[in-house]
Amino acid sequence: MGFGDTAKKIQTLADKAERTYQKINELRTEVEQTQTTVIDTSERVQRLENEMAEQRAVLDAVASEVGVDLESVSAEAHITDAEAAADSGAGETDGESTSGESGDEPNGG
């Protein structure tokens, strides 16, 4: 009777070990795929950054030729974006949407 219980426990342990081994192999495969994806993504990002730098150089050259100050244009765009973000954030924080009714605007208009 004791040998049967021991054999049953050993079989249970062996089954658990086999499932654990399979799970570890699955996880290993997933980690390898993730590493490959990360490397591919990193290379893609690097290529895009290089392309953006090239495009920026071309844009700078064209803007210089035409007489456009890119820094002021960029600053103006950032200010516009910040104002739009502030306006959309203000409408969400007070629980009401800004519908243009008098009293809704901070300048009283």
Side-chain angles (χ1 to χ4, degrees):
M1 193 57 94
F3 291 119
D5 288 341
T6 303
K8 193 176 193 179
K9 289 179 182 178
I10 290 173
Q11 184 60 46
T12 302
L13 185 60
D15 291 343
K16 287 181 181 180
E18 180 65 27
R19 286 193 302 269
T20 302
Y21 181 76
Q22 288 173 349
K23 196 65 165 170
I24 288 172
N25 282 334
E26 290 172 12
L27 290 172
R28 181 179 294 128
T29 301
E30 287 179 27
V31 167
E32 289 171 356
Q33 289 172 346
T34 301
Q35 288 174 334
T36 301
T37 301
V38 167
I39 290 169
D40 291 346
T41 302
S42 176
E43 291 170 353
R44 203 171 308 130
V45 167
Q46 187 62 46
R47 282 194 307 272
L48 289 171
E49 287 176 346
N50 291 341
E51 287 179 25
M52 283 180 54
E54 291 171 5
Q55 290 175 3
R56 178 63 187 216
V58 170
L59 182 62
D60 285 344
V62 169
S64 175
E65 189 76 22
V66 176
V68 174
D69 181 13
L70 285 181
E71 289 183 19
S72 66
V73 171
S74 178
E76 195 171 311
H78 287 293
I79 290 169
T80 303
D81 288 346
E83 288 174 345
D87 288 346
S88 68
E92 294 173 4
T93 56
D94 65 6
E96 299 178 13
S97 64
T98 54
S99 62
E101 296 175 12
S102 87
D104 281 354
E105 295 179 13
N107 295 335

XYZ file of all heavy atoms in Angstrom:
804
model
N 0.820 -1.183 0.000
C 0.000 0.000 0.000
C 0.867 1.251 0.000
O 0.580 2.194 -0.695
C -0.914 -0.049 1.236
C -2.047 0.888 1.307
S -3.280 0.932 0.050
C -4.582 -0.087 0.546
N 1.961 1.274 0.729
C 2.858 2.411 0.801
C 3.542 2.688 -0.516
O 3.784 3.831 -0.874
N 3.860 1.583 -1.254
C 4.532 1.774 -2.543
C 3.597 2.414 -3.564
O 4.029 3.205 -4.396
C 5.065 0.441 -3.072
C 6.214 -0.094 -2.267
C 6.128 -1.323 -1.624
C 7.391 0.626 -2.151
C 7.182 -1.818 -0.882
C 8.453 0.140 -1.418
C 8.359 -1.092 -0.769
N 2.344 2.081 -3.503
C 1.357 2.648 -4.439
C 1.203 4.140 -4.225
O 1.149 4.908 -5.184
N 1.131 4.553 -2.974
C 1.017 5.982 -2.669
C 2.275 6.725 -3.106
O 2.206 7.824 -3.650
C 0.782 6.201 -1.176
C -0.622 5.789 -0.744
O -1.499 5.687 -1.627
O -0.822 5.587 0.467
N 3.428 6.117 -2.868
C 4.685 6.735 -3.257
C 4.773 6.856 -4.773
O 5.173 7.902 -5.302
C 5.882 5.915 -2.719
O 5.769 5.807 -1.291
C 7.186 6.566 -3.085
N 4.384 5.810 -5.479
C 4.415 5.850 -6.946
C 3.467 6.926 -7.469
O 3.791 7.647 -8.421
C 4.034 4.484 -7.506
N 2.297 7.060 -6.836
C 1.326 8.061 -7.230
C 1.881 9.471 -7.012
O 1.753 10.355 -7.868
C 0.041 7.861 -6.421
C -1.142 8.620 -6.919
C -2.363 8.241 -6.085
C -3.639 8.718 -6.708
N -4.800 8.341 -5.924
N 2.539 9.671 -5.880
C 3.142 10.976 -5.581
C 4.274 11.287 -6.551
O 4.403 12.415 -7.028
C 3.649 11.013 -4.142
C 2.539 11.055 -3.123
C 3.084 11.054 -1.715
C 1.943 11.042 -0.709
N 2.426 11.003 0.675
N 5.063 10.292 -6.872
C 6.166 10.484 -7.821
C 5.607 10.835 -9.204
O 6.122 11.720 -9.880
C 7.083 9.245 -7.877
C 7.867 9.134 -6.575
C 8.022 9.312 -9.064
C 8.673 7.853 -6.445
N 4.539 10.139 -9.615
C 3.926 10.420 -10.914
C 3.360 11.832 -10.943
O 3.516 12.566 -11.924
C 2.822 9.398 -11.227
C 2.215 9.574 -12.603
C 3.237 9.420 -13.714
O 4.038 8.487 -13.703
N 3.227 10.346 -14.662
N 2.702 12.243 -9.851
C 2.163 13.605 -9.759
C 3.279 14.630 -9.860
O 3.174 15.625 -10.586
C 1.392 13.792 -8.431
O 0.340 12.825 -8.366
C 0.812 15.186 -8.318
N 4.365 14.361 -9.157
C 5.520 15.255 -9.183
C 6.126 15.309 -10.593
O 6.469 16.383 -11.089
C 6.570 14.789 -8.171
C 7.789 15.679 -7.987
C 7.377 17.060 -7.511
C 8.751 15.037 -6.996
N 6.228 14.170 -11.244
C 6.769 14.116 -12.606
C 5.866 14.883 -13.574
O 6.360 15.598 -14.459
C 6.931 12.672 -13.050
N 4.549 14.762 -13.420
C 3.609 15.494 -14.271
C 3.767 17.007 -14.071
O 3.789 17.778 -15.044
C 2.169 15.083 -13.974
C 1.864 13.651 -14.407
O 2.647 13.096 -15.208
O 0.837 13.106 -13.946
N 3.872 17.415 -12.828
C 4.052 18.846 -12.539
C 5.379 19.343 -13.114
O 5.456 20.437 -13.664
C 4.004 19.102 -11.035
C 2.616 18.996 -10.450
C 2.604 19.291 -8.968
C 1.210 19.160 -8.393
N 1.177 19.441 -6.951
N 6.426 18.538 -12.994
C 7.731 18.921 -13.532
C 7.663 19.060 -15.051
O 8.234 19.997 -15.624
C 8.792 17.899 -13.136
N 6.950 18.161 -15.707
C 6.807 18.224 -17.158
C 6.045 19.471 -17.585
O 6.447 20.164 -18.528
C 6.083 16.969 -17.676
C 5.882 16.938 -19.173
C 7.186 16.871 -19.960
O 8.185 16.355 -19.444
O 7.185 17.350 -21.113
N 4.956 19.796 -16.884
C 4.198 21.009 -17.194
C 5.051 22.255 -16.956
O 5.021 23.196 -17.755
C 2.913 21.061 -16.362
C 1.845 20.100 -16.847
C 0.485 20.392 -16.224
N 0.482 20.354 -14.776
C 0.216 19.272 -14.034
N -0.086 18.119 -14.628
N 0.209 19.337 -12.725
N 5.806 22.239 -15.888
C 6.698 23.370 -15.588
C 7.750 23.524 -16.679
O 8.026 24.631 -17.143
C 7.376 23.183 -14.216
O 6.354 23.063 -13.207
C 8.267 24.353 -13.877
N 8.324 22.420 -17.114
C 9.332 22.438 -18.169
C 8.741 23.000 -19.459
O 9.359 23.845 -20.130
C 9.869 21.021 -18.392
C 10.926 20.920 -19.450
C 12.232 21.341 -19.202
C 10.616 20.410 -20.708
C 13.206 21.257 -20.189
C 11.586 20.326 -21.697
C 12.877 20.743 -21.435
O 13.828 20.660 -22.412
N 7.531 22.570 -19.812
C 6.868 23.079 -21.016
C 6.598 24.582 -20.902
O 6.810 25.335 -21.855
C 5.555 22.329 -21.260
C 5.743 20.905 -21.727
C 4.430 20.142 -21.805
O 3.397 20.600 -21.327
N 4.481 18.951 -22.396
N 6.150 24.999 -19.725
C 5.853 26.415 -19.513
C 7.132 27.248 -19.617
O 7.125 28.334 -20.213
C 5.196 26.604 -18.135
C 4.529 27.919 -17.979
C 3.370 28.018 -18.931
C 2.466 29.149 -18.550
N 1.489 29.393 -19.592
N 8.225 26.747 -19.066
C 9.505 27.454 -19.150
C 9.934 27.586 -20.606
O 10.407 28.645 -21.034
C 10.582 26.747 -18.303
C 10.300 26.966 -16.821
C 11.975 27.235 -18.655
C 11.186 26.157 -15.896
N 9.763 26.523 -21.387
C 10.112 26.591 -22.809
C 9.232 27.597 -23.547
O 9.716 28.337 -24.408
C 10.019 25.216 -23.461
C 11.223 24.350 -23.133
O 12.298 24.862 -22.844
N 11.041 23.052 -23.175
N 7.947 27.640 -23.225
C 7.056 28.619 -23.828
C 7.502 30.038 -23.476
O 7.546 30.922 -24.337
C 5.617 28.400 -23.365
C 4.966 27.155 -23.916
C 3.612 26.876 -23.277
O 3.068 27.770 -22.576
O 3.092 25.764 -23.471
N 7.820 30.244 -22.204
C 8.269 31.564 -21.763
C 9.590 31.950 -22.432
O 9.778 33.106 -22.820
C 8.413 31.602 -20.235
C 7.102 31.551 -19.463
C 7.381 31.403 -17.970
C 6.275 32.801 -19.729
N 10.472 30.989 -22.581
C 11.755 31.245 -23.248
C 11.508 31.706 -24.686
O 12.110 32.666 -25.159
C 12.637 30.003 -23.230
C 13.999 30.217 -23.893
C 14.878 28.983 -23.850
N 15.225 28.679 -22.468
C 15.064 27.489 -21.896
N 14.568 26.473 -22.579
N 15.401 27.298 -20.632
N 10.604 31.015 -25.368
C 10.264 31.388 -26.740
C 9.666 32.792 -26.790
O 10.027 33.605 -27.650
C 9.273 30.371 -27.338
O 9.873 29.068 -27.301
C 8.904 30.722 -28.757
N 8.763 33.091 -25.868
C 8.157 34.418 -25.821
C 9.204 35.499 -25.564
O 9.166 36.567 -26.175
C 7.068 34.475 -24.754
C 5.808 33.727 -25.118
C 4.759 33.793 -24.033
O 4.755 34.775 -23.256
O 3.932 32.875 -23.962
N 10.136 35.232 -24.658
C 11.187 36.201 -24.353
C 12.063 36.433 -25.584
O 12.412 37.571 -25.913
C 12.033 35.735 -23.146
C 13.311 36.546 -23.018
C 11.226 35.832 -21.857
N 12.401 35.363 -26.286
C 13.216 35.503 -27.494
C 12.474 36.319 -28.552
O 13.068 37.180 -29.212
C 13.596 34.129 -28.045
C 14.614 33.399 -27.191
C 14.828 31.951 -27.601
O 14.123 31.464 -28.517
O 15.699 31.301 -26.997
N 11.170 36.072 -28.712
C 10.377 36.840 -29.675
C 10.310 38.308 -29.259
O 10.407 39.202 -30.108
C 8.968 36.259 -29.788
C 8.916 34.919 -30.481
C 7.540 34.274 -30.423
O 6.673 34.682 -29.648
N 7.343 33.247 -31.231
N 10.155 38.546 -27.977
C 10.104 39.919 -27.477
C 11.431 40.626 -27.717
O 11.456 41.787 -28.150
C 9.751 39.939 -25.981
O 8.484 39.304 -25.797
C 9.684 41.353 -25.446
N 12.535 39.937 -27.467
C 13.848 40.528 -27.710
C 14.028 40.855 -29.185
O 14.532 41.930 -29.532
C 14.957 39.586 -27.248
C 15.076 39.488 -25.745
C 16.082 38.440 -25.293
O 16.353 37.480 -26.006
N 16.624 38.628 -24.103
N 13.591 39.962 -30.052
C 13.682 40.218 -31.491
C 12.843 41.433 -31.869
O 13.293 42.300 -32.631
C 13.214 38.981 -32.283
O 14.033 37.868 -31.933
C 13.281 39.210 -33.767
N 11.643 41.512 -31.325
C 10.762 42.646 -31.602
C 11.387 43.951 -31.115
O 11.349 44.965 -31.818
C 9.386 42.435 -30.943
O 8.810 41.237 -31.446
C 8.457 43.603 -31.211
N 11.967 43.925 -29.936
C 12.600 45.126 -29.386
C 13.763 45.570 -30.265
O 13.907 46.757 -30.579
C 13.067 44.888 -27.930
C 13.991 45.994 -27.456
C 11.865 44.780 -27.007
N 14.575 44.633 -30.699
C 15.718 44.960 -31.568
C 15.217 45.532 -32.892
O 15.722 46.562 -33.364
C 16.609 43.725 -31.776
C 17.332 43.371 -30.481
C 17.608 43.958 -32.901
C 18.019 42.022 -30.497
N 14.209 44.883 -33.486
C 13.651 45.370 -34.748
C 13.076 46.778 -34.588
O 13.284 47.652 -35.433
C 12.562 44.433 -35.272
C 13.110 43.093 -35.745
O 14.339 42.969 -35.919
O 12.294 42.161 -35.927
N 12.355 46.983 -33.497
C 11.755 48.290 -33.243
C 12.834 49.347 -33.039
O 12.729 50.463 -33.556
C 10.824 48.226 -32.020
O 9.816 47.243 -32.252
C 10.167 49.567 -31.754
N 13.859 49.001 -32.316
C 14.961 49.937 -32.083
C 15.622 50.333 -33.393
O 15.903 51.515 -33.632
C 15.988 49.303 -31.148
O 17.104 50.146 -30.990
N 15.856 49.369 -34.264
C 16.463 49.656 -35.569
C 15.535 50.538 -36.411
O 15.984 51.479 -37.069
C 16.775 48.357 -36.309
C 17.903 47.558 -35.669
C 18.066 46.167 -36.255
O 17.221 45.739 -37.088
O 19.035 45.486 -35.870
N 14.239 50.250 -36.355
C 13.268 51.041 -37.108
C 13.228 52.474 -36.589
O 13.206 53.439 -37.375
C 11.883 50.391 -36.985
C 10.946 50.747 -38.098
C 9.660 49.916 -38.073
N 9.928 48.488 -38.022
C 9.372 47.651 -37.148
N 8.522 48.092 -36.251
N 9.649 46.375 -37.173
N 13.241 52.632 -35.276
C 13.237 53.965 -34.679
C 14.495 54.727 -35.080
O 14.438 55.913 -35.422
C 13.105 53.880 -33.142
C 13.423 55.208 -32.481
C 11.703 53.431 -32.752
N 15.630 54.057 -35.067
C 16.883 54.701 -35.463
C 16.816 55.171 -36.915
O 17.234 56.286 -37.231
C 18.057 53.738 -35.267
C 19.408 54.378 -35.497
C 19.680 55.508 -34.518
O 19.461 55.369 -33.330
N 20.120 56.630 -35.024
N 16.274 54.330 -37.798
C 16.131 54.729 -39.205
C 15.217 55.946 -39.337
O 15.505 56.889 -40.084
C 15.587 53.574 -40.047
C 16.622 52.528 -40.407
C 16.124 51.589 -41.511
N 14.831 50.973 -41.238
C 14.646 49.835 -40.574
N 15.684 49.160 -40.105
N 13.428 49.353 -40.385
N 14.102 55.933 -38.593
C 13.171 57.059 -38.652
C 13.809 58.340 -38.118
O 13.598 59.426 -38.672
C 11.893 56.730 -37.871
C 10.984 55.697 -38.506
C 9.868 55.301 -37.540
C 10.404 56.213 -39.806
N 14.582 58.216 -37.041
C 15.273 59.386 -36.504
C 16.270 59.938 -37.513
O 16.391 61.157 -37.671
C 15.968 59.040 -35.188
C 15.009 58.872 -34.034
C 15.697 58.425 -32.751
O 16.868 57.991 -32.790
O 15.054 58.526 -31.691
N 16.975 59.055 -38.214
C 17.913 59.495 -39.247
C 17.184 60.205 -40.382
O 17.624 61.253 -40.863
C 18.726 58.317 -39.787
C 19.698 57.768 -38.766
O 20.041 58.429 -37.791
N 20.143 56.539 -38.976
N 16.059 59.627 -40.812
C 15.271 60.245 -41.872
C 14.756 61.613 -41.446
O 14.770 62.570 -42.229
C 14.100 59.346 -42.260
C 14.491 58.125 -43.051
C 13.300 57.242 -43.388
O 12.153 57.759 -43.438
O 13.512 56.034 -43.589
N 14.303 61.710 -40.185
C 13.810 62.995 -39.686
C 14.931 64.032 -39.661
O 14.704 65.206 -39.997
C 13.208 62.828 -38.289
C 11.840 62.206 -38.300
S 11.121 62.006 -36.656
C 11.217 63.650 -36.005
N 16.117 63.619 -39.269
C 17.251 64.548 -39.247
C 17.562 65.035 -40.662
O 17.830 66.230 -40.869
C 18.468 63.873 -38.631
N 17.513 64.124 -41.633
C 17.747 64.514 -43.021
C 16.660 65.477 -43.505
O 16.963 66.490 -44.151
C 17.782 63.278 -43.916
C 18.985 62.380 -43.692
C 18.879 61.054 -44.430
O 17.904 60.860 -45.198
O 19.766 60.210 -44.233
N 15.418 65.155 -43.173
C 14.313 66.020 -43.587
C 14.414 67.393 -42.920
O 14.122 68.418 -43.536
C 12.972 65.365 -43.258
C 12.683 64.165 -44.124
C 11.419 63.437 -43.727
O 10.694 63.856 -42.826
N 11.141 62.331 -44.394
N 14.847 67.402 -41.672
C 15.020 68.668 -40.957
C 16.098 69.513 -41.621
O 15.949 70.731 -41.771
C 15.377 68.396 -39.486
C 15.637 69.634 -38.660
C 14.400 70.501 -38.566
N 14.707 71.745 -37.916
C 13.877 72.353 -37.106
N 12.705 71.847 -36.863
N 14.226 73.484 -36.539
N 17.188 68.871 -42.035
C 18.259 69.591 -42.711
C 17.752 70.189 -44.019
O 18.059 71.346 -44.344
C 19.447 68.662 -42.959
N 16.974 69.415 -44.778
C 16.418 69.924 -46.030
C 15.460 71.076 -45.748
O 15.499 72.120 -46.408
C 15.702 68.800 -46.816
C 14.911 69.352 -47.982
C 16.714 67.765 -47.285
N 14.613 70.906 -44.735
C 13.659 71.947 -44.371
C 14.374 73.219 -43.937
O 13.987 74.331 -44.322
C 12.737 71.440 -43.258
C 11.643 72.388 -42.797
C 10.689 72.699 -43.953
C 10.888 71.793 -41.625
N 15.432 73.068 -43.147
C 16.219 74.227 -42.725
C 16.805 74.953 -43.926
O 16.788 76.191 -43.994
C 17.352 73.804 -41.777
C 16.852 73.480 -40.382
O 15.710 73.868 -40.045
O 17.615 72.840 -39.621
N 17.326 74.183 -44.877
C 17.930 74.788 -46.068
C 16.882 75.531 -46.887
O 17.112 76.664 -47.335
C 18.618 73.718 -46.908
N 15.718 74.908 -47.089
C 14.656 75.545 -47.859
C 14.152 76.789 -47.127
O 13.966 77.849 -47.740
C 13.502 74.553 -48.131
C 12.282 75.258 -48.690
C 13.966 73.445 -49.057
N 13.940 76.689 -45.829
C 13.450 77.829 -45.053
C 14.448 78.973 -45.090
O 14.058 80.143 -45.217
C 13.193 77.400 -43.612
N 15.716 78.645 -44.988
C 16.749 79.669 -45.057
C 16.738 80.346 -46.419
O 16.874 81.568 -46.524
C 18.113 79.034 -44.784
O 19.143 79.984 -44.953
N 16.577 79.561 -47.464
C 16.541 80.088 -48.834
C 15.344 81.012 -49.042
O 15.444 82.045 -49.690
C 16.481 78.912 -49.817
C 16.660 79.287 -51.249
C 18.095 79.600 -51.626
O 19.015 79.152 -50.920
O 18.281 80.309 -52.618
N 14.210 80.651 -48.449
C 12.980 81.412 -48.630
C 12.895 82.569 -47.637
O 12.156 83.524 -47.850
C 11.749 80.473 -48.484
C 10.448 81.224 -48.555
C 11.783 79.395 -49.531
N 13.649 82.488 -46.539
C 13.639 83.552 -45.545
C 12.650 83.336 -44.422
O 12.164 84.290 -43.820
N 12.350 82.083 -44.116
C 11.427 81.761 -43.028
C 12.239 81.403 -41.784
O 13.191 80.634 -41.856
C 10.512 80.576 -43.421
C 9.655 80.139 -42.247
C 9.650 80.936 -44.603
N 11.842 81.984 -40.636
C 12.509 81.669 -39.370
C 11.813 80.461 -38.742
O 10.740 80.578 -38.166
C 12.445 82.879 -38.441
C 13.140 82.635 -37.114
O 13.877 81.633 -36.989
O 12.948 83.454 -36.195
N 12.433 79.288 -38.877
C 11.815 78.055 -38.385
C 11.633 78.053 -36.872
O 10.675 77.476 -36.360
C 12.640 76.838 -38.810
C 12.523 76.435 -40.274
C 13.372 75.204 -40.550
C 11.086 76.144 -40.636
N 12.552 78.670 -36.154
C 12.435 78.688 -34.687
C 11.179 79.422 -34.245
O 10.472 78.966 -33.346
C 13.687 79.297 -34.069
C 14.902 78.395 -34.178
C 16.118 78.981 -33.488
O 15.956 79.879 -32.636
O 17.224 78.515 -33.801
N 10.881 80.558 -34.870
C 9.674 81.296 -34.480
C 8.414 80.548 -34.897
O 7.422 80.531 -34.166
C 9.689 82.704 -35.073
O 9.596 82.651 -36.481
N 8.461 79.900 -36.063
C 7.311 79.108 -36.505
C 7.084 77.944 -35.551
O 5.955 77.658 -35.152
C 7.521 78.611 -37.957
C 6.440 77.613 -38.340
C 7.550 79.777 -38.921
N 8.166 77.287 -35.158
C 8.070 76.162 -34.240
C 7.544 76.617 -32.874
O 6.677 75.984 -32.282
C 9.427 75.487 -34.087
O 9.360 74.437 -33.167
N 8.071 77.725 -32.381
C 7.623 78.243 -31.086
C 6.141 78.590 -31.134
O 5.390 78.294 -30.197
C 8.450 79.463 -30.698
N 5.720 79.210 -32.227
C 4.311 79.577 -32.378
C 3.423 78.335 -32.391
O 2.357 78.301 -31.771
C 4.136 80.368 -33.672
C 2.827 81.099 -33.769
C 2.805 82.029 -34.971
O 3.760 82.800 -35.153
O 1.810 81.961 -35.714
N 3.882 77.288 -33.069
C 3.112 76.041 -33.113
C 3.012 75.412 -31.729
O 1.948 74.922 -31.334
C 3.763 75.066 -34.088
N 4.108 75.445 -30.969
C 4.079 74.886 -29.615
C 3.145 75.677 -28.713
O 2.428 75.098 -27.888
C 5.489 74.854 -29.016
C 6.364 73.803 -29.597
N 6.137 72.464 -29.415
C 7.467 73.890 -30.386
C 7.058 71.767 -30.044
N 7.880 72.610 -30.653
N 3.142 76.980 -28.866
C 2.242 77.814 -28.060
C 0.797 77.495 -28.399
O -0.046 77.331 -27.507
C 2.547 79.311 -28.295
C 3.894 79.669 -27.660
C 1.433 80.189 -27.737
C 4.420 81.043 -28.041
N 0.500 77.369 -29.682
C -0.864 77.040 -30.112
C -1.293 75.685 -29.558
O -2.415 75.537 -29.051
C -0.954 77.036 -31.650
O -0.545 78.311 -32.141
C -2.361 76.733 -32.118
N -0.393 74.695 -29.628
C -0.703 73.371 -29.080
C -0.939 73.433 -27.579
O -1.866 72.807 -27.050
C 0.427 72.383 -29.381
C 0.480 71.986 -30.841
O -0.489 72.251 -31.573
O 1.505 71.391 -31.248
N -0.101 74.184 -26.873
C -0.241 74.297 -25.417
C -1.553 74.978 -25.050
O -2.230 74.569 -24.098
C 0.946 75.066 -24.832
N -1.912 76.020 -25.796
C -3.175 76.705 -25.519
C -4.361 75.777 -25.774
O -5.318 75.754 -25.007
C -3.292 77.965 -26.382
C -2.364 79.073 -25.942
C -2.367 80.266 -26.894
O -2.868 80.123 -28.041
O -1.867 81.319 -26.491
N -4.302 75.002 -26.859
C -5.385 74.068 -27.162
C -5.492 73.005 -26.079
O -6.597 72.635 -25.661
C -5.156 73.416 -28.524
N -4.357 72.512 -25.605
C -4.367 71.510 -24.532
C -4.922 72.107 -23.247
O -5.691 71.459 -22.531
C -2.962 70.968 -24.307
N -4.553 73.340 -22.953
C -5.052 73.999 -21.744
C -6.562 74.223 -21.844
O -7.290 74.021 -20.867
C -4.330 75.324 -21.529
N -7.029 74.615 -23.031
C -8.461 74.830 -23.210
C -9.241 73.534 -23.064
O -10.274 73.489 -22.414
C -8.748 75.445 -24.585
C -8.316 76.907 -24.662
O -8.052 77.502 -23.598
O -8.232 77.438 -25.792
N -8.748 72.454 -23.646
C -9.462 71.180 -23.543
C -9.386 70.645 -22.124
O -10.318 70.037 -21.638
C -8.914 70.158 -24.532
O -7.597 69.780 -24.180
N -8.302 70.885 -21.432
C -8.159 70.446 -20.039
C -9.060 71.227 -19.117
O -9.626 70.703 -18.173
N -9.244 72.521 -19.382
C -10.099 73.361 -18.533
C -11.548 72.931 -18.638
O -12.271 72.932 -17.651
C -9.957 74.829 -18.928
N -11.987 72.530 -19.818
C -13.361 72.082 -19.997
C -13.630 70.793 -19.273
O -14.726 70.543 -18.805
N -12.622 69.943 -19.136
C -12.803 68.660 -18.466
C -12.757 68.799 -16.956
O -13.423 68.087 -16.240
C -11.715 67.682 -18.920
C -11.833 67.310 -20.383
C -10.660 66.478 -20.874
O -9.796 66.140 -20.044
O -10.605 66.183 -22.068
N -11.981 69.753 -16.435
C -11.812 69.849 -14.989
C -13.021 70.446 -14.294
O -13.313 70.111 -13.167
C -10.563 70.677 -14.615
O -10.667 71.970 -15.224
C -9.302 69.976 -15.052
N -13.752 71.343 -14.969
C -14.902 71.935 -14.294
C -16.185 71.146 -14.518
O -17.233 71.514 -14.025
C -15.081 73.409 -14.686
C -15.430 73.603 -16.160
O -15.651 72.597 -16.858
O -15.490 74.769 -16.598
N -16.092 70.047 -15.262
C -17.233 69.178 -15.441
C -18.187 69.634 -16.519
O -19.206 69.023 -16.755
N -17.902 70.776 -17.156
C -18.758 71.274 -18.216
C -17.927 71.457 -19.468
O -16.754 71.765 -19.409
C -19.362 72.626 -17.822
C -20.229 72.576 -16.590
C -20.756 73.956 -16.214
O -20.647 74.874 -17.047
O -21.257 74.111 -15.107
N -18.575 71.299 -20.605
C -17.873 71.572 -21.853
C -17.982 73.051 -22.146
O -18.940 73.713 -21.751
C -18.461 70.755 -22.995
O -19.792 71.153 -23.219
N -16.994 73.588 -22.865
C -17.037 75.002 -23.212
C -17.890 75.152 -24.461
O -17.510 74.786 -25.544
C -15.614 75.558 -23.455
O -14.981 74.739 -24.420
C -14.816 75.574 -22.173
N -19.081 75.697 -24.282
C -20.028 75.816 -25.383
C -20.066 77.213 -25.950
O -20.822 77.483 -26.871
C -21.423 75.389 -24.916
O -21.853 76.249 -23.877
N -19.318 78.141 -25.386
C -19.298 79.492 -25.887
C -20.320 80.393 -25.235
O -20.497 81.530 -25.619
N -21.052 79.905 -24.236
C -22.013 80.734 -23.549
C -21.264 81.774 -22.730
O -20.149 81.549 -22.283
C -22.883 79.893 -22.594
C -23.734 78.866 -23.315
C -24.475 77.985 -22.336
O -24.505 78.317 -21.138
O -25.013 76.967 -22.761
N -21.882 82.941 -22.488
C -21.189 83.963 -21.724
C -20.977 83.470 -20.302
O -21.830 82.826 -19.721
C -21.986 85.278 -21.742
O -22.917 85.307 -20.714
N -19.795 83.761 -19.783
C -19.460 83.302 -18.443
C -18.623 82.030 -18.483
O -17.977 81.723 -17.504
N -18.636 81.290 -19.590
C -17.829 80.089 -19.713
C -16.374 80.419 -20.005
O -15.474 79.669 -19.670
C -18.356 79.179 -20.828
C -19.570 78.375 -20.397
O -19.898 78.463 -19.212
O -20.148 77.676 -21.237
N -16.139 81.534 -20.670
C -14.781 81.872 -21.053
C -14.086 82.611 -19.940
O -14.693 83.432 -19.242
C -14.804 82.733 -22.327
C -15.352 81.973 -23.524
C -15.396 82.814 -24.775
O -14.782 83.907 -24.779
O -16.020 82.393 -25.745
N -12.777 82.344 -19.717
C -12.074 82.967 -18.610
C -11.943 84.480 -18.751
O -11.799 85.179 -17.775
C -10.698 82.300 -18.641
C -10.590 81.575 -19.928
C -11.970 81.413 -20.451
N -12.053 85.029 -19.967
C -11.906 86.459 -20.169
C -13.242 87.181 -20.066
O -13.347 88.358 -20.372
C -11.276 86.754 -21.544
C -9.858 86.245 -21.629
O -9.194 86.098 -20.614
N -9.401 85.980 -22.836
N -14.280 86.452 -19.683
C -15.584 87.062 -19.474
C -16.319 87.354 -20.762
O -17.305 88.047 -20.778
N -15.845 86.804 -21.880
C -16.468 87.138 -23.168
C -17.235 86.040 -23.642
O -18.009 85.696 -24.286
